[in-house]
Amino acid sequence: MESFLDQHLEEMLQFIEKLVSIDSGSYCKEGIDKIGKLLEMSYKQLGFNVIVDEQEEFGNHLIIEHKDAIDPNIIILAHMDTVFPKGTAMERPFRIEGNRAYGPGVIDMKASHASVLYAIKALIYQGFEGHKNVRIVLNSDEEIGSPTSREIIEREAKGRKYALVMEPARKDGSLVSARRGKGNYTLIVEGKAAHSGIEPEKGRSAIEELAHKIIQLHELSDHENGISVNVGLIEGGSSANTVSDHAEAQIDVRIKEIDQVVFLEERLEKICSSSDVAGTKISLEGEMNRPPMEKNKKTRALLRIIQDVGDEIGVEIEDTATGGGSDASFTSSLDVATIDGLGPVGGNAHSDKEYLEIPSLVERTFLLATLIERLTRK
C-alpha cells in the first residue's frame, strides 16, 4: 500500500489544493456543500453509497458506506468546515514551500480528507476488505460545536467498536487519546441607567455587577485537576458618563472528567443566584456541550493496536492529551474506543501560518489504511 500511496502523492496534494481553494467556514454553506459534492463524487466512484443529510443553515452532512458493507464496526469522523471567513482562500491560496503546504484549513482538516479517501483507495487497490468495514461521517459544523451533527454522530457511532477521528496529529506527530470537555455560557446582567455626573446614586451598574462575577468565576479554575473557567468576551454600557444598565460575558468552561460537570454547574448556578450590586438582575444561559474524551480502558487498548501497527510499518506512535475539543468526545462518551489526531502532521491551525508536513501525508495515510485492515481482521 505504501508504494501505491507514494505513486499518488502528487495526486493527493492536488486534491488537497482543490479543497483548500474552496472557502468553507462554518457559516459558508455554499462552500461546504461544494466540498461535500466533490467528496460525494469521489466516494461514489469507488463503489460507496452516500447519504446527504440536508441542512438549511449549515452545510450538509455526509454519511458514507461501501455498497457491500454489512454493519461496519469502524466509524471514521472528519469535518468539512474551517474557521476562516469567505474570501480567505483567494487572499491566501494553497502553496508549497519545501516540505510544507500552506493554506486555510490545509491541516484542519482538508489534508485529512485526502488521507481517508486515499487510504480507502489503497485498500481497494491491494484487494483487502477493510474498505467495507467503515462508516464515514463528514460533518459541516464541528468548528462551532457540532450543533446539527452531534445527533447524527452519536446515532451512527452507537454499536461501533472503534472510532477513528481525523483531526490532525500534533506538531510532534502524537495522536490524541484524551480531550477536555467543553461548555459555553452567557452571563447577562441587567442594571439601571443613570447620568454618572448628575445622579449616579440612582443608577445600578450592570458592569460593576459583572466585574464581581468575573472574579468569582475565574476562582473556579483548578488547573491541576483539569478545570478552567475563562470569561473571554465582555460587553456592556452605552457611554462613559452613563451608569450601565446592561452587561454580558461569554464564558468558556473546560473539564477533564465527566464527574466534574455536576460540581461546576452547581457552582455556576450558586454564583449567579444572587447579586453583589443591589438592584441588578442576573441570568445565565448555556450548557456543557462536549463531554470529555477520557483515556479509558477501551481507548488504551485501541492505542496499543495503533502502536503495534506503527511498529509494523516503521512509524513511532506517541499519544497526548489536549484541552481542545473535537467530535471524538461524542464517540468516547458512548463507550466506543476512540483515538483522535489520526490525520497528517501539521501545525498552527486556525491561523495564517497553518501548514501540512507533506512527508507525513503518505506516512499517516499508510498508517490509517493498515489500521483499518488490522481492525477488520480482529
Side-chain angles (χ1 to χ4, degrees), residues 5 9 44 71 87 102 115 165 192 208 219 247 258 265:
L5 295 169
L9 174 58
K44 282 184 173 179
D71 197 23
Y102 296 84
S115 188
V165 185
K192 183 180 178 181
E208 182 184 356
E219 287 176 345
I258 194 67
E265 288 184 339

Side-chain angles (χ1 to χ4, degrees), residues 182-285:
K182 183 178 186 297
N184 295 315
Y185 295 86
T186 301
L187 175 60
I188 301 169
V189 183
E190 299 296 334
K192 183 180 178 181
H195 194 291
S196 65
I198 299 174
E199 48 186 10
E201 71 282 356
K202 292 185 178 180
R204 299 292 182 267
S205 174
I207 288 177
E208 182 184 356
E209 174 62 29
L210 183 61
H212 284 283
K213 292 298 180 276
I214 290 171
I215 293 170
Q216 295 168 37
L217 289 167
H218 276 233
E219 287 176 345
L220 294 178
S221 292
D222 180 359
H223 300 304
E224 187 174 326
N225 289 306
I227 297 173
S228 66
V229 178
N230 180 63
V231 178
L233 185 66
I234 61 173
E235 61 177 347
S238 57
S239 66
N241 63 349
T242 302
V243 177
S244 61
D245 65 351
H246 179 86
E248 64 180 69
Q250 302 296 321
I251 308 163
D252 179 276
V253 176
R254 306 281 169 145
I255 58 171
K256 182 180 179 181
E257 300 171 356
I258 194 67
D259 293 344
Q260 295 167 336
V261 171
V262 174
F263 163 77
L264 268 176
E265 288 184 339
E266 288 177 350
R267 294 304 304 274
L268 287 170
E269 289 176 9
K270 183 176 180 181
I271 288 171
C272 298
S273 65
S274 61
S275 302
D276 290 277
V277 176
T280 58
K281 296 179 180 180
I282 305 165
S283 61
L284 181 68
E285 302 172 353

Side-chain angles (χ1 to χ4, degrees), residues 49-102:
N49 295 323
V50 180
I51 297 172
V52 179
D53 188 278
E54 301 277 351
Q55 297 293 313
E56 290 186 12
E57 182 179 358
F58 302 111
N60 300 330
H61 312 305
L62 304 182
I63 303 166
I64 304 168
E65 187 175 283
H66 194 269
K67 60 182 178 61
D68 296 329
I70 301 176
D71 197 23
N73 64 19
I74 301 170
I75 184 170
I76 296 176
L77 302 181
H79 63 84
M80 297 178 286
D81 60 325
T82 73
V83 299
F84 300 104
K86 194 170 184 177
T88 308
M90 183 174 291
E91 294 171 4
R92 193 157 45 84
F94 179 87
R95 73 183 193 279
I96 292 175
E97 293 181 7
N99 285 328
R100 289 182 173 180
Y102 296 84

